[in-house]
Amino acid sequence: MVLQAVIIILLAPFIQGVIKKTKARMQNRIGPSIWQPYYDVIKFMKKDAVLSHHSSWLSIVTPYIVFVSIVTAGIFIPTYSLHNEWNFIGDVILVVYLFGVARFFTALTALDAGGSFGGMGSSREMALSAIAEPALLLALFSVCLSSETMKLPHLVVSLTHNGWDWFAPSYVLAFFAMLIVVIAETGRIPVDNPDTHLELTMVHEGMLLEYSGRYLGLMMWAAQIKQLLLLSLFINLFFPWGIEG
């Protein structure tokens, strides 16, 4: 359990760096180094946080709540091994709820300082969550029904042994639903653009404008970990052949 938590915490910035580098290459740009997210996180963690005079205790505790919630969700998602002593209490519903806790506190704290961009980002995030979270649950439930389990390790084992019936409409719809959810939850185009601060395109970035220093570093790190977990969950459900038993 501890080893898996350490792996996802340390690996998440690397995945973000690879995504940014690949995107830059596809746009005929050199782009930043794949290690740049590590440099950014270290830089932010070394700086003191500056908070608005209108902020409350929520702005202080939320980065820690978000980070712990996302890492805890990562404990129950098989990343490199199916063996985990905490699997008996973790299923797909718990993972979705942990993601929901992080989203709730992020959106709530964006309203804490009373900024217009924070409120706009929060409202957009809640609107997206009303669509993305039910779609995520329905996609997971459709897979769980065929495997007759809601425990993620048992689900992956069942999918590995039994395979996918790609001609079944439920599987096809679950695949595309999960793909759209991953795009929406990781803040990718056309749902969001994580590389801009334009008013018309930002959702998650709008909720982070009031953060600075180590608080901003924790929020960015948590977003990178969530991105890794969603990609891992997508691979586990639809391409589970590389998971070790």
Side-chain angles (χ1 to χ4, degrees), residues 92-93 96 134-150 155 174 237:
V92 295
I93 296 180
V96 174
L136 175 60
L137 282 172
L138 288 175
L140 291 173
F141 286 161
S142 65
V143 181
C144 292
L145 286 174
S146 62
S147 303
E148 298 182 350
T149 179
M150 297 187 69
L155 181 61
L237 293 180

Side-chain angles (χ1 to χ4, degrees), residues 6-215:
V6 172
I7 288 176
I8 62 175
I9 289 173
L10 296 180
L11 185 62
F14 176 76
I15 301 299
Q16 176 72 3
V18 171
I19 292 175
K20 285 183 174 292
K21 191 70 172 181
T22 304
K23 182 179 179 179
R25 289 298 187 182
M26 294 180 67
Q27 296 175 346
N28 294 323
R29 297 185 292 109
I30 297 178
S33 168
I34 59 174
W35 309 111
Q36 187 61 46
Y38 289 101
Y39 303 147
D40 293 339
V41 169
I42 294 174
K43 176 184 67 176
F44 286 127
M45 297 301 289
K46 289 182 177 180
K47 290 185 175 182
D48 292 331
V50 178
L51 297 176
S52 170
H53 294 293
H54 304 286
S55 300
S56 68
W57 57 272
L58 276 173
S59 297
I60 299 176
V61 302
T62 291
Y64 299 100
I65 294 176
V66 171
F67 189 84
V68 171
S69 298
I70 297 299
V71 173
T72 303
I75 294 175
F76 304 114
I77 298 177
T79 304
Y80 74 99
S81 175
L82 297 177
H83 298 296
N84 190 335
E85 59 270 24
W86 284 70
N87 285 334
F88 69 96
I89 63 172
D91 58 14
V92 295
I93 296 180
L94 178 60
V95 170
V96 174
Y97 267 91
L98 287 170
F99 286 156
V101 168
R103 186 198 303 273
F104 171 77
F105 277 95
T106 302
L108 182 63
T109 309
L111 302 171
D112 193 33
S116 58
F117 285 104
M120 180 185 64
S122 296
S123 63
R124 292 178 176 179
E125 181 74 6
M126 289 296 100
L128 290 175
S129 69
I131 301 173
E133 289 184 0
L136 175 60
L137 282 172
L138 288 175
L140 291 173
F141 286 161
S142 65
V143 181
C144 292
L145 286 174
S146 62
S147 303
E148 298 182 350
T149 179
M150 297 187 69
K151 304 292 185 181
L152 284 171
H154 301 162
L155 181 61
V156 174
V157 170
S158 176
L159 292 174
T160 303
H161 291 166
N162 301 329
W164 270 87
D165 183 5
W166 287 100
F167 297 99
S170 59
Y171 289 165
V172 176
L173 292 175
F175 175 83
F176 284 106
M178 190 67 183
L179 181 61
I180 295 173
V181 167
V182 170
I183 294 174
E185 291 283 2
T186 55
R188 299 297 164 186
I189 297 175
V191 180
D192 190 9
N193 187 355
D195 298 326
T196 182
H197 289 287
L198 295 177
E199 178 182 349
L200 295 177
T201 58
M202 64 181 182
V203 178
H204 186 262
E205 290 294 323
M207 297 187 293
L208 302 183
L209 292 179
E210 298 293 338
Y211 287 106
S212 63
R214 59 182 178 275
Y215 298 148

